[in-house]
Amino acid sequence: MRQAVFFDRDGTLMEEAGYCSDPSLVRVFPAVPNALRALKQAGFLNIVISNQSGIGRGYFDEAQYRAVQDEMLRQIGDNLIDASYFCADAPDATSSCRKPEPGMLLEAARDFEIGLDRSVMIGDKSSDIECARRVGAHSVLVATGYGALQDCQPDFRATGVTDAAQWVLSHLR
């Protein structure tokens, strides 16, 4: 089974922009490409797992989501993200994919033959940490985005993605 690092998108890989639907608002944190590169070189898959309730709420459509996603990937650089999964469900919808539900992690695990118990979810919300817990994955809460405001029990609290990647490399290889 392969190992993966699952990343929340908004507030983790890029600055939180509040239901971002405009590619011109995308600002990838400067250290993210190097952190992703280090994880890839160590053999991890890098996979984005993102709630996108702005679609379900009618704030923007899937084409706008994809434009933002494409700009984020452009800023990160080629071949550093292996896959991206998103859930468009609004918070009040019955959903198996909206974090903290683990549907996106389970789908990625099937698609890439990932051992979830050997993998980690990195995010800035308690829902990211709970999602990891529900599948037996490790979890890291970053202080970027909403991370400093969260009340949860991750395996590690990181200042940002670089700190999180260093923890992964020292604990999960």
Side-chain angles (χ1 to χ4, degrees):
M1 299 296 276
R2 300 171 84 182
Q3 285 182 288
V5 181
F6 299 102
F7 292 92
D8 174 57
R9 188 185 83 174
D10 304 295
T12 302
L13 295 175
M14 62 182 247
E15 293 177 11
E16 177 62 48
Y19 301 106
C20 189
S21 62
D22 181 350
S24 72
L25 299 176
V26 174
R27 303 280 184 276
V28 169
F29 291 115
V32 163
N34 286 337
L36 294 173
R37 191 171 293 106
L39 292 166
K40 290 282 290 181
Q41 289 171 347
F44 288 91
L45 295 168
N46 292 324
I47 299 175
V48 177
I49 303 290
S50 184
N51 285 346
Q52 290 296 318
S53 70
I55 297 170
R57 296 172 196 240
Y59 298 164
F60 55 89
D61 60 27
E62 190 171 327
Q64 290 169 296
Y65 157 78
R66 293 204 183 280
V68 167
Q69 184 73 6
D70 289 346
E71 177 58 20
M72 183 199 70
L73 293 173
R74 186 194 69 74
Q75 289 183 29
I76 285 173
D78 291 339
N79 303 315
L80 294 178
I81 298 292
D82 295 289
S84 295
Y85 295 80
F86 74 97
C87 181
D89 296 339
D92 58 350
T94 301
S95 178
S96 63
C97 65
R98 181 175 167 75
K99 295 179 286 181
E101 295 300 324
M104 291 184 282
L105 291 179
L106 295 170
E107 183 179 356
R110 283 189 302 272
D111 291 349
F112 290 94
E113 298 180 354
I114 295 167
L116 292 171
D117 61 333
R118 300 176 58 231
S119 298
V120 61
M121 176 77 203
I122 298 173
D124 69 322
K125 292 186 179 173
S126 59
S127 59
D128 298 313
I129 304 312
E130 177 62 17
C131 183
R133 188 194 64 74
R134 290 182 184 188
V135 296
H138 300 274
S139 61
V140 176
L141 182 74
V142 291
T144 53
Y146 296 104
L149 306 173
Q150 301 302 296
D151 181 21
C152 58
Q153 300 299 316
D155 293 306
F156 182 69
R157 288 181 183 269
T159 56
V161 170
T162 297
D163 191 26
Q166 289 171 347
W167 183 85
V168 170
L169 292 170
S170 66
H171 286 82
L172 296 181
R173 281 213 266 183

